[in-house]
Amino acid sequence: MHNTGNSFLGSIPTVTKNLLIINIIVFVAQSVLPRIGISAEQYLALHYYASSNFNLAQIVTYMFLHADISHIFFNMFSLWMFGRVLEQVMGGKRFLFYYISCGIGAALAQEVVWALTWRSTYIPALAQLNNISVAEMTAYIDKALALGEHMPLFDSMITIGASGGVFGILLAFGMLFPNLPLYLMFVPIPIKAKWMVIGYGVIELMFGITGTLDSVAHFAHLGGMLIGFIILIFWKKKGQFGGGYY
Protein backbone atom coordinates (compact mmCIF):
# COMPACT_ATOMS: atom_id res chain seq x y z
CA MET A 1 0.00 0.00 0.00
CA HIS A 2 1.11 3.55 -0.68
CA ASN A 3 0.87 6.30 1.91
CA THR A 4 -0.67 9.32 0.16
CA GLY A 5 -0.85 11.45 3.28
CA ASN A 6 2.50 13.09 2.50
CA SER A 7 1.91 13.47 -1.25
CA PHE A 8 1.55 16.87 -2.86
CA LEU A 9 -2.20 16.51 -3.40
CA GLY A 10 -2.63 14.90 -0.01
CA SER A 11 -1.13 17.97 1.65
CA ILE A 12 -3.74 20.32 0.12
CA PRO A 13 -7.02 20.79 2.05
CA THR A 14 -10.08 19.28 0.37
CA VAL A 15 -11.88 22.39 -0.92
CA THR A 16 -8.74 24.06 -2.25
CA LYS A 17 -7.68 20.81 -3.92
CA ASN A 18 -11.07 20.31 -5.56
CA LEU A 19 -11.14 23.91 -6.80
CA LEU A 20 -7.72 23.41 -8.36
CA ILE A 21 -8.80 20.18 -10.03
CA ILE A 22 -12.07 21.62 -11.35
CA ASN A 23 -10.32 24.66 -12.81
CA ILE A 24 -7.76 22.48 -14.57
CA ILE A 25 -10.41 20.11 -15.95
CA VAL A 26 -12.49 23.02 -17.26
CA PHE A 27 -9.40 24.60 -18.83
CA VAL A 28 -8.66 21.36 -20.68
CA ALA A 29 -12.29 21.19 -21.79
CA GLN A 30 -12.05 24.77 -23.08
CA SER A 31 -9.19 23.68 -25.31
CA VAL A 32 -10.89 20.51 -26.57
CA LEU A 33 -14.53 21.51 -27.06
CA PRO A 34 -13.94 23.97 -29.95
CA ARG A 35 -12.72 21.00 -32.01
CA ILE A 36 -16.28 19.69 -31.99
CA GLY A 37 -17.86 23.09 -32.49
CA ILE A 38 -18.69 23.93 -28.88
CA SER A 39 -17.60 27.17 -27.20
CA ALA A 40 -17.42 26.95 -23.41
CA GLU A 41 -17.13 30.75 -23.26
CA GLN A 42 -20.47 31.22 -25.02
CA TYR A 43 -22.32 29.37 -22.27
CA LEU A 44 -20.14 29.69 -19.17
CA ALA A 45 -18.30 33.03 -19.44
CA LEU A 46 -19.82 36.08 -17.77
CA HIS A 47 -21.69 38.12 -20.37
CA TYR A 48 -23.21 41.56 -20.06
CA TYR A 49 -26.74 41.14 -18.72
CA ALA A 50 -28.23 42.65 -21.91
CA SER A 51 -26.52 40.08 -24.12
CA SER A 52 -28.58 37.27 -25.61
CA ASN A 53 -25.91 34.88 -24.27
CA PHE A 54 -26.31 35.92 -20.64
CA ASN A 55 -27.71 33.60 -18.01
CA LEU A 56 -27.65 33.96 -14.24
CA ALA A 57 -25.50 30.87 -13.65
CA GLN A 58 -22.61 32.70 -15.34
CA ILE A 59 -21.94 34.73 -12.20
CA VAL A 60 -20.47 31.48 -10.84
CA THR A 61 -19.39 29.49 -13.91
CA TYR A 62 -17.15 32.26 -15.30
CA MET A 63 -14.79 31.72 -12.36
CA PHE A 64 -13.71 28.35 -13.74
CA LEU A 65 -12.72 29.54 -17.23
CA HIS A 66 -9.34 31.00 -18.17
CA ALA A 67 -7.91 32.68 -21.24
CA ASP A 68 -4.55 30.90 -21.50
CA ILE A 69 -1.84 29.00 -19.64
CA SER A 70 -0.39 32.04 -17.88
CA HIS A 71 -3.86 33.17 -16.77
CA ILE A 72 -4.74 29.88 -15.11
CA PHE A 73 -1.21 29.35 -13.76
CA PHE A 74 -1.05 32.57 -11.78
CA ASN A 75 -4.62 32.22 -10.49
CA MET A 76 -4.13 28.61 -9.45
CA PHE A 77 -0.73 29.32 -7.93
CA SER A 78 -2.29 32.05 -5.76
CA LEU A 79 -5.23 29.79 -4.88
CA TRP A 80 -2.83 27.04 -3.83
CA MET A 81 -0.42 29.33 -1.98
CA PHE A 82 -2.95 31.30 0.05
CA GLY A 83 -6.15 29.26 -0.20
CA ARG A 84 -4.78 26.19 1.57
CA VAL A 85 -3.79 28.32 4.56
CA LEU A 86 -7.13 30.11 4.70
CA GLU A 87 -9.06 26.86 4.42
CA GLN A 88 -7.20 25.47 7.42
CA VAL A 89 -8.05 28.62 9.39
CA MET A 90 -11.65 29.07 8.20
CA GLY A 91 -12.72 25.49 7.70
CA GLY A 92 -13.78 24.01 4.36
CA LYS A 93 -17.42 25.13 4.20
CA ARG A 94 -16.70 28.70 5.31
CA PHE A 95 -13.76 28.98 2.93
CA LEU A 96 -15.82 27.75 -0.03
CA PHE A 97 -18.62 30.19 0.81
CA TYR A 98 -16.10 33.02 1.07
CA TYR A 99 -14.36 32.16 -2.21
CA ILE A 100 -17.57 31.80 -4.24
CA SER A 101 -19.06 34.95 -2.68
CA CYS A 102 -16.00 36.98 -3.67
CA GLY A 103 -16.27 35.63 -7.20
CA ILE A 104 -19.94 36.57 -7.38
CA GLY A 105 -19.14 40.02 -6.00
CA ALA A 106 -16.54 40.44 -8.73
CA ALA A 107 -19.10 39.45 -11.38
CA LEU A 108 -21.66 41.94 -10.10
CA ALA A 109 -19.03 44.69 -10.00
CA GLN A 110 -18.13 43.96 -13.62
CA GLU A 111 -21.79 44.10 -14.66
CA VAL A 112 -22.11 47.53 -13.03
CA VAL A 113 -18.95 48.78 -14.73
CA TRP A 114 -20.20 47.56 -18.11
CA ALA A 115 -23.56 49.26 -17.58
CA LEU A 116 -21.88 52.56 -16.69
CA THR A 117 -19.18 52.59 -19.35
CA TRP A 118 -20.31 50.72 -22.47
CA ARG A 119 -21.59 53.86 -24.15
CA SER A 120 -18.40 55.86 -23.62
CA THR A 121 -16.25 52.85 -24.48
CA TYR A 122 -17.97 51.31 -27.49
CA ILE A 123 -20.01 54.03 -29.22
CA PRO A 124 -17.04 56.23 -30.23
CA ALA A 125 -15.22 53.18 -31.62
CA LEU A 126 -18.30 52.07 -33.57
CA ALA A 127 -18.86 55.59 -34.87
CA GLN A 128 -15.30 55.76 -36.16
CA LEU A 129 -15.58 52.30 -37.68
CA ASN A 130 -18.76 53.26 -39.53
CA ASN A 131 -17.48 56.76 -40.41
CA ILE A 132 -20.36 58.58 -38.75
CA SER A 133 -20.59 60.97 -35.81
CA VAL A 134 -20.89 59.80 -32.22
CA ALA A 135 -24.29 61.50 -32.02
CA GLU A 136 -25.54 59.56 -35.05
CA MET A 137 -24.25 56.27 -33.69
CA THR A 138 -25.81 56.99 -30.29
CA ALA A 139 -29.18 57.72 -31.91
CA TYR A 140 -28.96 54.54 -34.00
CA ILE A 141 -28.17 52.35 -30.96
CA ASP A 142 -30.85 53.97 -28.80
CA LYS A 143 -33.44 53.33 -31.53
CA ALA A 144 -32.30 49.70 -31.88
CA LEU A 145 -32.54 49.19 -28.12
CA ALA A 146 -36.01 50.75 -28.02
CA LEU A 147 -37.14 48.30 -30.72
CA GLY A 148 -35.66 45.37 -28.81
CA GLU A 149 -33.20 44.52 -31.57
CA HIS A 150 -30.25 42.22 -30.93
CA MET A 151 -27.06 44.15 -30.16
CA PRO A 152 -23.97 42.17 -31.27
CA LEU A 153 -21.67 44.49 -29.35
CA PHE A 154 -23.18 43.23 -26.06
CA ASP A 155 -22.20 39.68 -26.98
CA SER A 156 -18.54 40.72 -27.17
CA MET A 157 -18.54 41.93 -23.54
CA ILE A 158 -17.36 38.89 -21.56
CA THR A 159 -15.21 38.17 -18.52
CA ILE A 160 -13.58 34.93 -17.41
CA GLY A 161 -11.20 33.84 -14.67
CA ALA A 162 -10.89 33.04 -10.98
CA SER A 163 -9.26 36.39 -10.21
CA GLY A 164 -12.26 37.81 -8.31
CA GLY A 165 -12.18 34.92 -5.84
CA VAL A 166 -8.38 34.97 -5.74
CA PHE A 167 -8.27 38.68 -4.90
CA GLY A 168 -10.76 37.99 -2.11
CA ILE A 169 -8.36 35.32 -0.83
CA LEU A 170 -5.45 37.76 -0.96
CA LEU A 171 -7.44 40.29 1.04
CA ALA A 172 -8.37 37.70 3.68
CA PHE A 173 -4.77 36.57 3.98
CA GLY A 174 -3.62 40.16 4.44
CA MET A 175 -6.27 40.80 7.11
CA LEU A 176 -5.68 37.57 9.00
CA PHE A 177 -1.89 37.60 8.81
CA PRO A 178 -1.07 41.31 8.32
CA ASN A 179 2.54 41.20 9.44
CA LEU A 180 3.54 37.92 7.83
CA PRO A 181 6.47 38.60 5.45
CA LEU A 182 5.93 37.53 1.83
CA TYR A 183 8.27 37.39 -1.12
CA LEU A 184 7.03 38.43 -4.54
CA MET A 185 8.49 36.96 -7.72
CA PHE A 186 11.72 38.70 -8.73
CA VAL A 187 11.62 40.85 -5.55
CA PRO A 188 14.10 39.52 -2.97
CA ILE A 189 12.89 41.87 -0.23
CA PRO A 190 10.13 40.59 2.14
CA ILE A 191 6.90 42.57 2.13
CA LYS A 192 4.34 42.38 4.93
CA ALA A 193 1.07 40.81 3.78
CA LYS A 194 -0.98 43.90 4.66
CA TRP A 195 1.17 46.15 2.47
CA MET A 196 1.06 43.70 -0.40
CA VAL A 197 -2.74 43.60 -0.30
CA ILE A 198 -3.03 47.39 -0.05
CA GLY A 199 -0.58 47.74 -2.92
CA TYR A 200 -2.57 45.35 -5.10
CA GLY A 201 -5.77 47.25 -4.32
CA VAL A 202 -4.25 50.64 -5.17
CA ILE A 203 -2.73 49.32 -8.41
CA GLU A 204 -6.04 47.78 -9.51
CA LEU A 205 -7.88 51.03 -8.74
CA MET A 206 -5.36 53.10 -10.69
CA PHE A 207 -5.42 50.73 -13.66
CA GLY A 208 -9.22 50.68 -13.61
CA ILE A 209 -9.55 54.45 -13.55
CA THR A 210 -6.88 55.12 -16.17
CA GLY A 211 -7.87 52.25 -18.46
CA THR A 212 -4.40 50.73 -18.29
CA LEU A 213 -4.39 47.07 -19.38
CA ASP A 214 -8.05 47.45 -20.39
CA SER A 215 -8.25 43.75 -21.26
CA VAL A 216 -8.14 43.05 -17.51
CA ALA A 217 -11.27 43.42 -15.35
CA HIS A 218 -9.70 45.62 -12.68
CA PHE A 219 -12.95 46.67 -11.05
CA ALA A 220 -14.03 43.03 -10.87
CA HIS A 221 -10.90 42.34 -8.84
CA LEU A 222 -11.79 45.22 -6.55
CA GLY A 223 -15.36 43.91 -6.30
CA GLY A 224 -14.01 40.57 -5.08
CA MET A 225 -11.90 42.32 -2.47
CA LEU A 226 -14.81 44.50 -1.35
CA ILE A 227 -17.16 41.57 -0.82
CA GLY A 228 -14.39 39.73 1.00
CA PHE A 229 -13.86 42.69 3.30
CA ILE A 230 -17.58 42.96 4.08
CA ILE A 231 -17.82 39.23 4.87
CA LEU A 232 -14.76 39.24 7.13
CA ILE A 233 -15.93 42.30 9.04
CA PHE A 234 -19.38 40.74 9.47
CA TRP A 235 -17.88 37.51 10.81
CA LYS A 236 -15.61 39.53 13.10
CA LYS A 237 -18.47 41.56 14.56
CA LYS A 238 -20.55 38.42 15.07
CA GLY A 239 -17.65 36.84 16.91
CA GLN A 240 -17.82 33.89 14.56
CA PHE A 241 -14.34 34.15 13.19
CA GLY A 242 -11.10 36.04 13.26
CA GLY A 243 -9.71 35.85 16.77
CA GLY A 244 -7.19 38.61 17.27
CA TYR A 245 -5.66 38.63 13.82
CA TYR A 246 -7.18 41.86 12.51
Side-chain angles (χ1 to χ4, degrees), residues 25-38:
I25 290 174
V26 172
F27 183 71
V28 172
Q30 275 183 267
S31 303
V32 173
L33 288 175
R35 299 178 184 179
I36 58 175
I38 299 175

Side-chain angles (χ1 to χ4, degrees), residues 3-60:
N3 181 10
T4 60
N6 295 322
S7 68
F8 175 73
L9 286 178
S11 67
I12 305 174
T14 303
V15 172
T16 302
K17 177 170 61 180
N18 287 336
L19 287 173
L20 291 169
I21 292 171
I22 293 170
N23 274 276
I24 293 171
I25 290 174
V26 172
F27 183 71
V28 172
Q30 275 183 267
S31 303
V32 173
L33 288 175
R35 299 178 184 179
I36 58 175
I38 299 175
S39 170
E41 289 84 353
Q42 180 179 352
Y43 301 103
L44 303 180
L46 179 68
H47 289 73
Y48 184 43
Y49 77 91
S51 167
S52 59
N53 291 323
F54 174 79
N55 67 76
L56 192 59
Q58 291 171 359
I59 65 173
V60 173

Side-chain angles (χ1 to χ4, degrees), residues 113-125:
V113 169
W114 275 331
L116 295 176
T117 63
W118 74 264
R119 287 180 176 274
S120 61
T121 301
Y122 290 93
I123 289 181

Side-chain angles (χ1 to χ4, degrees), residues 5 18 51 80 125 141 172 174 193 214 232 236:
N18 287 336
S51 167
W80 167 77
I141 289 178
D214 58 3
L232 290 172
K236 178 74 172 180

Side-chain angles (χ1 to χ4, degrees), residues 172-186:
F173 193 90
M175 291 181 68
L176 293 173
F177 308 102
N179 296 313
L180 187 70
L182 299 174
Y183 289 87
L184 299 178
M185 289 184 180
F186 311 115

Side-chain angles (χ1 to χ4, degrees), residues 218-233:
H218 301 293
F219 286 107
H221 297 169
L222 291 171
M225 297 180 82
L226 176 61
I227 292 300
F229 179 79
I230 292 171
I231 291 173
L232 290 172
I233 292 300

